[in-house]
Amino acid sequence: MKPLRIAVAGKGGAGKSLISGTMARLLARHDRQVLALDSDLQPGLALSLGAAVPAEPPLLAAAEKDEDGRWRLRKGIGPVRAVQRYTTAAPDGVRLLQAGKTTDEGLAPLMGAIHAFYKVIHRLDEAGSLRDWTILGDLPAGPRQVAFDWAPYAEHFLLVVEPTWPSMLTARRVMRIVRIREEVTVSAVLNKATSEADVDRVRAFGFEPLAVVPADDAVRDAERRGVALLDHAPGSPAVAAIARLVTALERR
Ligand SMILES: Nc1ncnc2c1ncn2[C@@H]1O[C@H](COP(=O)(O)OP(=O)(O)OP(=O)(O)O)[C@@H](O)[C@H]1O
Ligand SMILES: [Mg+2]
């Protein structure tokens, strides 16, 4: 089974975290070892995975400053050890690596973890023991992290689009940046679809969606309760559509 290396991007609120978290667990249920990467400084992926994460990012312990005051990974910490020590267990055997979440004092207390995260993701391909792992990254909204190389592991970018102009315009922008890297492929998933007209709308915009995820009340219900969609409503139309998306990605 070929490991997948996917980054999920798109406009704010498009459904990136819902789709990445649910996909990560479904991929794990297909007997894949899955590493979920969360570089968003706002909460999202842990909730959709159903993972309980410590308030302080574990990666803080992986970073130190050198003589010039620049952050580096502590001696002896490479990608394998980082995944062993600083990931959090999520359901279905998924491992979650987080850069950390903004605190009351802003980003200052997190800087070590953010630098450590960036360094680790840039060294994932050094690690022979991670070669068979499926890696799935949930990127924060918009094109910025894509432009600044926050998903170097990605062989495929999944653009989550809502059937609205702002969402499609953002996805197009992200796509142009992604395409600078010749070796990567891109596809779109339409989320919050309410009709066939929505599908036509994204097609007319130039995206042929790999999957269509319907607008589904179960998503908000799950969020209201603070549980993962997959645990709250495993038989919901949204979960069924994300399962089809996983199959489509595995077949590519
Ligand atoms: N298929 C869906 N049906 C109904 N509501 C949805 C669906 N997908 C996402 N939502 C709602 O849209 C909101 C955004 O979802 P999510 O947090 O997954 O998006 P995101 O792209 O990760 O957002 P952010 O840019 O803030 O990281 C959530 O409140 C969620 O309930
Ligand atoms: Mg999100």
Side-chain angles (χ1 to χ4, degrees):
M1 205 158 33
K2 193 181 176 301
L4 301 176
R5 301 290 164 97
I6 299 170
V8 179
K11 189 167 167 51
K16 301 176 292 295
S17 298
L18 174 81
I19 290 175
S20 334
T22 310
M23 272 177 53
R25 287 183 54 185
L26 292 173
L27 285 162
R29 290 180 184 182
H30 289 185
D31 291 329
R32 294 172 181 276
Q33 179 61 65
V34 178
L35 175 63
L37 297 174
D38 181 9
S39 54
D40 198 341
L41 303 172
Q42 309 300 324
L45 184 60
L47 293 168
S48 61
L49 275 172
V53 290
E56 201 169 74
L59 267 178
L60 265 186
E64 64 181 12
K65 280 187 171 171
D66 68 14
E67 310 72 45
D68 301 321
R70 278 191 294 257
W71 287 105
R72 67 177 176 205
L73 286 173
R74 269 182 31 230
K75 212 170 156 52
I77 309 275
V80 176
R81 203 152 283 176
V83 169
Q84 282 168 348
R85 285 194 194 164
Y86 305 113
T87 54
T88 304
D92 295 311
V94 173
R95 303 296 311 184
L96 169 64
L97 188 70
Q98 281 195 326
K101 301 298 157 197
T102 314
T103 67
D104 294 343
E105 295 113 77
L107 287 184
L110 282 185
M111 288 318 286
I114 295 171
H115 281 273
F117 183 94
Y118 193 81
K119 289 186 194 310
V120 168
I121 60 172
H122 280 265
R123 291 179 55 190
L124 287 173
D125 62 351
E126 284 173 25
S129 59
L130 300 177
R131 202 153 289 150
D132 294 333
W133 286 47
T134 280
I135 301 176
L136 181 61
D138 175 23
L139 300 181
R144 189 176 302 201
Q145 278 206 358
V146 178
F148 287 99
D149 203 19
W150 278 78
Y153 52 85
E155 293 171 1
H156 187 73
F157 277 79
L158 191 63
L159 303 181
V160 180
V161 288
E162 290 183 64
T164 64
W165 275 80
S167 189
M168 293 189 286
L169 285 168
T170 302
R172 178 184 279 169
R173 208 160 277 263
V174 173
M175 187 169 69
R176 288 182 182 147
I177 296 169
V178 167
R179 290 237 161 105
I180 294 169
R181 275 171 64 191
E182 279 169 12
E183 72 286 5
V184 303
T185 51
V186 191
S187 63
V189 51
L190 171 59
N191 188 27
K192 307 189 196 180
T194 55
S195 64
E196 198 52 39
D198 282 342
V199 184
D200 293 341
R201 215 161 271 134
V202 295
R203 282 203 181 116
F205 208 86
F207 294 115
E208 181 55 45
L210 191 59
V212 176
V213 181
D216 186 342
D217 289 340
V219 176
R220 279 197 198 280
D221 267 2
E223 276 177 356
R224 229 169 255 131
R225 288 159 208 254
V227 294
L229 174 68
L230 196 52
D231 297 318
H232 174 62
S236 60
V239 168
I242 297 168
R244 288 194 293 276
L245 171 62
V246 164
T247 307
L249 285 164
E250 288 185 316
R251 287 211 183 115
R252 279 186 68 257

